[in-house]
Amino acid sequence: MSLDYLFLLISALGLLLCLLAVLRLRKHLFSGSVAVVLAFGFTTGAIVVSKDVLSYRHLADEQMVARVFVGASKEAQEYLVSVDTLDGEALQSFLLKGDQWQIDSRIIRWQMPVARLGLDNLYRLERLLGRYSDIENERNAPRTVYLINLSKPLDVWQWLRSNDTVQKWVDANYGNSVFAPMIDGAQFSVYLSHNGLFIRPENPIAVKALRNWPA
Protein backbone atom coordinates (compact mmCIF):
# COMPACT_ATOMS: atom_id res chain seq x y z
CA MET A 1 0.00 0.00 0.00
CA SER A 2 1.36 3.45 -0.92
CA LEU A 3 1.36 6.18 1.70
CA ASP A 4 0.65 8.67 -1.09
CA TYR A 5 -2.88 7.28 -1.44
CA LEU A 6 -3.33 7.01 2.32
CA PHE A 7 -2.54 10.68 2.91
CA LEU A 8 -4.63 11.77 -0.07
CA LEU A 9 -7.52 9.85 1.48
CA ILE A 10 -6.96 11.52 4.87
CA SER A 11 -6.76 14.96 3.27
CA ALA A 12 -9.95 14.32 1.28
CA LEU A 13 -11.66 13.23 4.49
CA GLY A 14 -10.55 16.45 6.14
CA LEU A 15 -11.98 18.54 3.32
CA LEU A 16 -15.25 16.62 3.54
CA LEU A 17 -15.40 17.31 7.29
CA CYS A 18 -14.82 21.01 6.60
CA LEU A 19 -17.71 21.04 4.14
CA LEU A 20 -20.04 19.28 6.58
CA ALA A 21 -18.97 21.64 9.37
CA VAL A 22 -19.77 24.70 7.22
CA LEU A 23 -23.19 23.27 6.40
CA ARG A 24 -23.83 22.71 10.11
CA LEU A 25 -22.70 26.27 10.86
CA ARG A 26 -25.58 27.60 8.76
CA LYS A 27 -28.10 25.83 11.05
CA HIS A 28 -26.41 25.81 14.48
CA LEU A 29 -24.05 28.69 15.16
CA PHE A 30 -22.23 27.41 18.29
CA SER A 31 -21.89 23.70 17.49
CA GLY A 32 -21.22 24.57 13.87
CA SER A 33 -18.38 26.90 14.89
CA VAL A 34 -16.80 24.17 17.01
CA ALA A 35 -17.14 21.70 14.14
CA VAL A 36 -15.49 24.14 11.71
CA VAL A 37 -12.52 24.67 14.06
CA LEU A 38 -12.04 20.94 14.61
CA ALA A 39 -12.40 20.08 10.92
CA PHE A 40 -10.00 22.86 9.90
CA GLY A 41 -7.46 21.71 12.50
CA PHE A 42 -7.69 18.10 11.32
CA THR A 43 -7.28 19.09 7.66
CA THR A 44 -4.36 21.42 8.35
CA GLY A 45 -2.59 18.78 10.43
CA ALA A 46 -3.11 16.14 7.74
CA ILE A 47 -1.69 18.42 5.04
CA VAL A 48 1.36 19.39 7.15
CA VAL A 49 2.15 15.74 7.99
CA SER A 50 1.57 14.66 4.39
CA LYS A 51 3.92 17.35 3.05
CA ASP A 52 6.80 16.06 5.16
CA VAL A 53 6.19 12.32 4.83
CA LEU A 54 5.70 12.51 1.06
CA SER A 55 9.20 14.00 0.75
CA TYR A 56 10.44 10.46 1.48
CA ARG A 57 10.81 7.83 -1.26
CA HIS A 58 9.35 4.34 -1.22
CA LEU A 59 11.90 1.60 -0.69
CA ALA A 60 11.44 -0.10 -4.06
CA ASP A 61 13.43 -2.94 -5.62
CA GLU A 62 15.82 -0.46 -7.23
CA GLN A 63 15.50 3.15 -8.33
CA MET A 64 17.78 6.07 -9.05
CA VAL A 65 17.33 8.80 -6.43
CA ALA A 66 20.11 11.29 -7.28
CA ARG A 67 22.85 12.25 -9.70
CA VAL A 68 26.12 13.70 -8.41
CA PHE A 69 28.45 15.88 -10.53
CA VAL A 70 31.95 16.78 -9.29
CA GLY A 71 33.92 19.83 -10.43
CA ALA A 72 37.30 21.08 -9.26
CA SER A 73 37.86 24.31 -7.33
CA LYS A 74 40.89 26.60 -7.27
CA GLU A 75 41.85 25.41 -3.78
CA ALA A 76 43.46 22.08 -2.92
CA GLN A 77 41.08 19.43 -1.51
CA GLU A 78 38.09 21.59 -2.42
CA TYR A 79 35.44 20.69 -4.99
CA LEU A 80 32.15 22.01 -6.31
CA VAL A 81 29.66 19.13 -6.02
CA SER A 82 26.21 19.40 -7.62
CA VAL A 83 23.33 17.11 -6.64
CA ASP A 84 20.20 16.46 -8.68
CA THR A 85 17.65 14.68 -6.46
CA LEU A 86 15.32 13.91 -9.42
CA ASP A 87 12.30 15.28 -7.57
CA GLY A 88 11.66 18.29 -9.76
CA GLU A 89 13.65 20.67 -7.57
CA ALA A 90 16.50 22.77 -8.95
CA LEU A 91 20.02 21.34 -9.08
CA GLN A 92 21.82 22.07 -5.79
CA SER A 93 25.54 22.94 -5.75
CA PHE A 94 27.83 22.80 -2.72
CA LEU A 95 31.49 23.61 -2.03
CA LEU A 96 32.98 20.55 -0.30
CA LYS A 97 36.36 20.21 1.39
CA GLY A 98 38.09 16.84 1.41
CA ASP A 99 38.83 13.94 -0.91
CA GLN A 100 35.42 12.22 -1.05
CA TRP A 101 31.75 13.24 -1.13
CA GLN A 102 29.24 11.44 1.08
CA ILE A 103 25.44 11.33 1.14
CA ASP A 104 23.54 10.26 4.27
CA SER A 105 19.93 9.11 4.40
CA ARG A 106 17.00 8.80 6.79
CA ILE A 107 14.74 5.77 7.06
CA ILE A 108 11.19 5.17 8.30
CA ARG A 109 10.60 1.44 8.74
CA TRP A 110 7.25 0.01 9.86
CA GLN A 111 7.25 -2.55 12.67
CA MET A 112 4.86 -5.47 13.10
CA PRO A 113 1.86 -5.53 13.11
CA VAL A 114 1.71 -2.27 11.10
CA ALA A 115 4.03 -3.77 8.47
CA ARG A 116 1.36 -6.40 7.76
CA LEU A 117 -0.82 -3.62 6.32
CA GLY A 118 1.58 -3.49 3.40
CA LEU A 119 2.89 0.04 3.98
CA ASP A 120 6.16 0.80 2.21
CA ASN A 121 9.31 1.53 4.17
CA LEU A 122 10.61 5.01 3.33
CA TYR A 123 14.00 6.61 2.68
CA ARG A 124 15.03 10.23 2.21
CA LEU A 125 18.40 11.70 1.29
CA GLU A 126 19.43 13.87 4.21
CA ARG A 127 22.92 15.38 4.10
CA LEU A 128 25.88 15.92 1.79
CA LEU A 129 29.34 16.21 3.31
CA GLY A 130 33.01 16.13 2.45
CA ARG A 131 35.35 13.42 3.78
CA TYR A 132 39.14 13.19 4.00
CA SER A 133 41.11 10.07 3.12
CA ASP A 134 43.66 10.77 5.82
CA ILE A 135 42.34 10.13 9.32
CA GLU A 136 44.23 13.08 10.82
CA ASN A 137 42.69 15.43 8.27
CA GLU A 138 39.30 13.90 9.01
CA ARG A 139 39.80 14.77 12.68
CA ASN A 140 41.35 18.22 12.36
CA ALA A 141 40.82 19.74 8.89
CA PRO A 142 37.82 22.00 8.08
CA ARG A 143 34.56 20.08 7.60
CA THR A 144 31.72 20.91 5.20
CA VAL A 145 28.22 19.52 5.80
CA TYR A 146 25.00 20.56 4.03
CA LEU A 147 21.33 19.61 4.31
CA ILE A 148 19.86 18.28 1.05
CA ASN A 149 16.31 18.03 2.41
CA LEU A 150 14.74 20.17 5.12
CA SER A 151 11.51 19.36 6.96
CA LYS A 152 9.26 22.42 7.33
CA PRO A 153 7.18 23.24 9.32
CA LEU A 154 7.00 19.77 10.92
CA ASP A 155 9.70 17.09 11.10
CA VAL A 156 7.71 13.84 11.34
CA TRP A 157 10.88 11.70 11.43
CA GLN A 158 12.27 13.58 14.46
CA TRP A 159 8.89 13.36 16.22
CA LEU A 160 8.81 9.60 15.64
CA ARG A 161 12.30 9.24 17.12
CA SER A 162 11.40 11.16 20.27
CA ASN A 163 8.07 9.41 20.93
CA ASP A 164 8.58 6.17 22.88
CA THR A 165 5.01 4.97 22.35
CA VAL A 166 5.11 5.40 18.56
CA GLN A 167 8.45 3.55 18.35
CA LYS A 168 6.57 0.31 19.06
CA TRP A 169 4.98 0.69 15.63
CA VAL A 170 7.56 2.49 13.52
CA ASP A 171 11.36 2.76 13.52
CA ALA A 172 12.75 6.15 12.49
CA ASN A 173 16.51 6.02 12.19
CA TYR A 174 19.48 7.00 10.06
CA GLY A 175 19.89 4.80 7.01
CA ASN A 176 23.16 3.96 5.32
CA SER A 177 25.58 6.34 3.61
CA VAL A 178 27.37 6.22 0.27
CA PHE A 179 30.63 7.95 -0.60
CA ALA A 180 33.02 8.17 -3.54
CA PRO A 181 36.19 10.05 -4.56
CA MET A 182 35.93 13.67 -5.63
CA ILE A 183 37.62 13.87 -9.04
CA ASP A 184 37.10 16.77 -11.44
CA GLY A 185 34.56 15.80 -14.10
CA ALA A 186 33.31 12.62 -12.39
CA GLN A 187 29.59 11.84 -12.53
CA PHE A 188 27.82 9.31 -10.32
CA SER A 189 24.28 8.02 -9.84
CA VAL A 190 22.87 7.17 -6.41
CA TYR A 191 20.41 4.27 -6.30
CA LEU A 192 18.02 3.04 -3.63
CA SER A 193 17.16 -0.63 -3.08
CA HIS A 194 15.91 -2.87 -0.26
CA ASN A 195 19.52 -3.01 0.94
CA GLY A 196 19.80 0.79 1.09
CA LEU A 197 21.81 3.25 -1.01
CA PHE A 198 24.53 2.37 -3.51
CA ILE A 199 26.35 4.23 -6.30
CA ARG A 200 27.24 3.63 -9.93
CA PRO A 201 29.75 5.56 -12.05
CA GLU A 202 28.20 7.41 -14.99
CA ASN A 203 31.25 8.37 -17.07
CA PRO A 204 34.83 7.10 -17.70
CA ILE A 205 36.29 9.56 -15.16
CA ALA A 206 34.07 8.17 -12.41
CA VAL A 207 34.80 4.56 -13.49
CA LYS A 208 38.55 5.22 -13.28
CA ALA A 209 38.17 7.02 -9.91
CA LEU A 210 36.40 4.03 -8.36
CA ARG A 211 38.80 1.53 -9.95
CA ASN A 212 41.83 3.35 -8.50
CA TRP A 213 40.23 3.95 -5.11
CA PRO A 214 41.71 3.89 -2.55
CA ALA A 215 44.79 5.35 -4.21
Side-chain angles (χ1 to χ4, degrees):
M1 180 189 301
S2 171
L3 281 179
D4 302 33
Y5 297 112
L6 180 59
F7 283 114
L8 284 174
L9 179 62
I10 293 174
S11 299
L13 176 60
L15 293 174
L16 177 61
L17 290 176
C18 286
L19 177 60
L20 294 176
V22 170
L23 293 176
R24 183 174 181 81
L25 180 62
R26 298 174 61 183
K27 297 180 179 179
H28 306 281
L29 181 60
F30 177 75
S31 61
S33 299
V34 173
V36 167
V37 171
L38 293 176
F40 180 78
F42 175 86
T43 305
T44 302
I47 292 174
V48 169
V49 171
S50 299
K51 180 179 181 295
D52 187 64
V53 174
L54 294 180
S55 68
Y56 290 76
R57 294 177 180 269
H58 303 299
L59 189 51
D61 291 334
E62 182 179 310
Q63 61 179 325
M64 185 189 300
V65 293
R67 291 190 180 94
V68 178
F69 310 91
V70 182
S73 174
K74 295 180 180 179
E75 302 294 330
Q77 289 186 302
E78 187 176 85
Y79 296 84
L80 183 64
V81 177
S82 300
V83 179
D84 180 3
T85 53
L86 310 179
D87 55 5
E89 299 293 332
L91 187 72
Q92 302 180 73
S93 297
F94 309 89
L95 195 62
L96 294 185
K97 295 183 180 295
D99 306 298
Q100 305 153 10
W101 60 266
Q102 175 177 317
I103 287 181
D104 297 336
S105 63
R106 287 181 172 188
I107 182 174
I108 297 177
R109 181 180 289 111
W110 307 103
Q111 306 282 20
M112 293 296 182
V114 177
R116 290 199 176 100
L117 298 175
L119 296 178
D120 299 324
N121 291 330
L122 303 172
Y123 266 85
R124 190 178 80 180
L125 302 182
E126 179 66 9
R127 293 181 296 181
L128 174 72
L129 60 145
R131 293 165 42 107
Y132 293 90
S133 300
D134 183 76
I135 189 64
E136 291 303 318
N137 284 339
E138 185 71 8
R139 289 172 177 168
N140 303 310
R143 302 296 305 274
T144 44
V145 182
Y146 303 93
L147 282 173
I148 299 177
N149 282 298
L150 182 63
S151 295
K152 292 191 306 182
L154 175 66
D155 190 339
V156 173
W157 181 86
Q158 193 62 50
W159 178 80
L160 291 173
R161 282 175 58 83
S162 61
N163 192 309
D164 294 336
T165 302
V166 174
Q167 288 178 9
K168 298 177 182 179
W169 311 98
V170 58
D171 176 30
N173 214 325
Y174 286 102
N176 68 313
S177 303
V178 289
F179 51 94
M182 289 193 287
I183 304 294
D184 184 22
Q187 299 181 19
F188 303 89
S189 291
V190 180
Y191 284 82
L192 175 64
S193 73
H194 283 290
N195 295 321
L197 300 175
F198 64 95
I199 60 173
R200 286 179 177 151
E202 289 297 323
N203 64 0
I205 298 175
V207 171
K208 183 178 179 179
L210 292 179
R211 184 181 299 133
N212 297 333
W213 180 49

